[in-house]
Amino acid sequence: MHVAPVGGTAVQDHVALAEIELCGDLIIAASAAHEDRLSLESIDEVLKVAEERADEQGAEE
């Protein structure tokens, strides 16, 4: 068995960690959903797409 060395040599990929968190959020939402599949609107809500778009539009103005 290989163990990562101790001492701060681990590298964190922040993009990958964010994607993993979003996937986890989708899995939780899908398991709690009453329908067989999440609608596109539900997926956008879980991923906070509308909030991101609003932030981007606010930054452009």
Side-chain angles (χ1 to χ4, degrees):
M1 180 169 101
H2 296 282
V3 178
V6 179
T9 60
V11 176
Q12 289 188 359
D13 184 341
H14 298 288
V15 173
L17 292 173
E19 289 178 357
I20 291 167
E21 184 176 348
L22 291 173
C23 287
D25 292 345
L26 284 172
I27 291 168
I28 291 168
S31 67
H34 298 290
E35 60 271 0
D36 288 338
R37 296 180 179 185
L38 290 176
S39 67
L40 293 177
E41 292 81 17
S42 296
I43 293 171
D44 286 350
E45 183 178 332
V46 170
L47 298 179
K48 300 176 183 160
V49 173
E51 293 175 20
E52 287 292 322
R53 287 184 182 152
D55 288 345
E56 288 176 4
Q57 288 177 351
E60 292 175 3
E61 294 176 1

